[in-house]
């Protein structure tokens, strides 16, 4: 199953609302996770089952799904949110990640 | 708080074997029904899952890498390991170990990760 993220890069300002999209090549029945990755640091799980927020993750992060299209929304972007975001499908034992979306400072 | 730490050779010659170990602290590697995974990220590229191993030693590898990958687990030392044979420059990447969480889900997402270790394949 291929996961296609868009955009690959996004420029935004503190306080903006940011939307990242991930599209699956086949149905994954909502089995999707989102991660935040900063240079030199471990990836951080943000959301699983498309919209369930991992414990401790700020509520400005949210996820949604519509068929094979999934979105990660960051409301009121904070300085700590500038990072690269990845989606991952886990509908099958062979899990796959999206190509990533880098959120840059505008 | 669960912590994972990768260790191993940072420079590997082409055609040789890459060997890494992930040491788990903060809880036993046998607690719960989790898998233990390796995931890598080549420079400037996306994350690529390599494989899982269960606490009982059952494994599942990413098909494109399957012929070259072996994973093992040592519950007495609370760590698990990766061997990747016949490496080429394309295997240069930051290698992460991670805990896979499944519960009632069909497969695993990853809730704890190590910080990663850079492995360079070069002569």
């Amino acid at each position: 199953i291929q996961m296609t993220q868009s955009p690959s890069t996004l420029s935004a300002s503190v306080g903006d609302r940011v939307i990242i999209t991930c599209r699956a090549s086949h149905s994954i029945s909502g089995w999707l996770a989102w991660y935040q990755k900063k240079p030199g640091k471990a990836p951080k799980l943000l959301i699983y089952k498309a919209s369930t927020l991992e414990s401790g993750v700020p509520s400005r992060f949210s996820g949604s799904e519509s068929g094979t299209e999934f979105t990660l929304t960051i409301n009121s972007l904070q300085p700590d949110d500038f990072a690269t975001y990845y989606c991952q499908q886990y509908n099958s034992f062979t899990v796959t990640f999206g190509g990533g979306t880098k959120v840059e400072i505008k | 708080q669960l912590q994972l730490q990768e260790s191993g050779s940072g420079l590997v010659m082409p055609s040789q074997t890459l060997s890494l170990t992930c040491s788990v602290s903060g809880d036993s590697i046998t607690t719960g029904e989790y898998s233990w995974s390796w995931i890598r990220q080549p420079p400037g590229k996306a994350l690529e899952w390599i494989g899982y191993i269960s606490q009982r030693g059952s494994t599942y590898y990413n098909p494109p890498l399957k012929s070259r990958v072996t994973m093992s687990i040592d519950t007495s030392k609370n760590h698990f390991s990766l061997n990747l044979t016949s490496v080429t420059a394309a295997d240069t990447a930051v290698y992460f170990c991670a805990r896979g969480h499944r519960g009632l889900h069909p497969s695993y997402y990853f809730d704890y990760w190590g910080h990663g270790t850079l492995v360079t394949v070069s002569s």
Side-chain angles (χ1 to χ4, degrees):
Chain A
I1 299 174
Q2 291 190 325
M3 306 301 295
T4 304
Q5 275 185 248
S6 61
S8 55
T9 306
L10 185 160
S11 296
S13 301
V14 173
D16 284 354
R17 184 184 189 206
V18 166
I19 298 175
I20 298 167
T21 299
C22 181
R23 182 173 286 110
S25 61
H26 298 83
S27 172
I28 58 171
S29 303
W31 302 111
L32 184 104
W34 289 98
Y35 301 88
Q36 178 191 67
K37 176 74 174 69
K38 296 181 180 179
K41 298 212 169 176
K44 177 184 177 182
L45 175 66
L46 300 174
I47 286 170
Y48 60 93
K49 191 56 175 90
S51 60
T52 302
L53 209 62
E54 173 71 345
S55 176
V57 174
S59 59
R60 63 181 179 273
F61 291 91
S62 63
S64 65
E65 67 175 290
S66 177
T68 58
E69 187 167 294
F70 299 82
T71 58
L72 172 69
T73 300
I74 311 172
N75 284 304
S76 188
L77 195 69
Q78 297 300 299
D80 191 48
D81 301 338
F82 292 97
T84 301
Y85 294 84
Y86 293 93
C87 61
Q88 177 228 331
Q89 68 79 18
Y90 57 101
N91 184 61
S92 66
F93 253 59
T94 304
V95 303
T96 47
F97 292 88
T101 296
K102 185 175 183 180
V103 177
E104 296 182 327
I105 300 173
K106 195 173 190 177
Chain B
Q1 176 78 351
L2 192 73
Q3 292 188 320
L4 290 79
Q5 177 68 56
E6 304 90 348
S7 61
S9 50
L11 179 64
V12 183
M13 303 274 284
S15 80
Q16 299 301 303
T17 297
L18 178 161
S19 296
L20 296 172
T21 295
C22 181
S23 299
V24 179
S25 60
D27 201 356
S28 170
I29 204 168
T30 61
T31 299
E33 292 294 327
Y34 300 106
S35 72
W36 302 93
S37 274
W38 289 96
I39 295 158
R40 68 181 183 179
Q41 184 173 33
K45 296 188 177 181
L47 297 162
E48 178 184 31
W49 168 73
I50 298 170
Y52 312 113
I53 188 165
S54 74
Q55 58 178 279
R56 297 174 188 81
S58 299
T59 56
Y60 188 81
Y61 304 137
N62 196 349
L65 298 170
K66 184 178 179 180
S67 63
R68 298 194 293 130
V69 172
T70 303
M71 294 177 63
S72 60
I73 192 165
D74 188 332
T75 56
S76 67
K77 295 181 179 178
N78 224 43
H79 73 208
F80 62 103
S81 300
L82 169 70
N83 277 356
L84 181 66
T85 62
S86 305
V87 298
T88 69
D91 295 308
T92 293
V94 176
Y95 285 75
F96 298 93
C97 56
R99 187 179 82 169
H101 185 104
R102 185 178 180 187
L104 297 177
H105 303 192
S107 184
Y108 297 94
Y109 61 89
F110 305 103
D111 56 356
Y112 287 94
W113 297 64
H115 281 79
T117 186
L118 175 63
V119 178
T120 302
V121 178
S122 175
S123 55

